[in-house]
Amino acid sequence: MKTPADKRIILTFHSIPSRNAATRWKARVVFEPSSTDDTVAAVTVVDGAGAPVKEGVLELAGLSLAVKDGCAAVRCGDFVKGKHSIKLRLVREGLPAWPGVLTFE
């Protein structure tokens, strides 16, 4: 994998709709310009109110990414390997594991 030298790529994932605001979430994966397989991409995860998710696990691209204070990370090569994985959800203690989808902003 190699991203363009002049472009930052941001993928945004949203939870599926829920009447319970506590289960909603949004995650952003940021690939900086010139990222390669070994580059680590920053992941931010916020809840339905826009506050950083204190603790949880984001299941994305066949990986389980630990989320702490709204932050996680993924090696770009690992993301690409699992890009066809169907499971996408955020798991938090005391809440149901809530699925999400790729969206466009």
Side-chain angles (χ1 to χ4, degrees):
M1 160 187 183
K2 179 142 173 86
T3 61
D6 60 341
K7 290 192 180 189
R8 182 183 211 209
I9 297 171
I10 301 172
L11 299 179
T12 304
F13 302 89
H14 279 264
S15 61
I16 61 169
S18 168
R19 290 181 189 209
N20 180 357
T23 60
R24 292 189 292 245
W25 56 270
K26 178 170 97 172
R28 293 176 48 155
V29 181
V30 179
F31 299 96
E32 296 296 340
S34 300
S35 291
T36 64
D37 283 345
D38 291 325
T39 303
V40 175
V43 181
T44 57
V45 186
V46 296
D47 63 20
V53 168
K54 187 170 179 88
E55 195 168 349
V57 175
L58 180 65
E59 295 178 351
L60 169 72
L63 304 165
S64 294
L65 307 176
V67 177
K68 181 78 170 158
D69 298 325
C71 297
V74 61
R75 193 177 149 280
C76 295
D78 293 336
F79 180 85
V80 170
K81 283 181 192 172
K83 68 184 176 197
H84 295 294
S85 175
I86 295 171
K87 188 187 294 187
L88 170 60
R89 65 185 186 167
L90 181 63
V91 180
R92 292 174 280 178
E93 189 173 325
L95 293 170
W98 204 254
V101 295
L102 175 64
T103 61
F104 298 93
E105 291 187 338

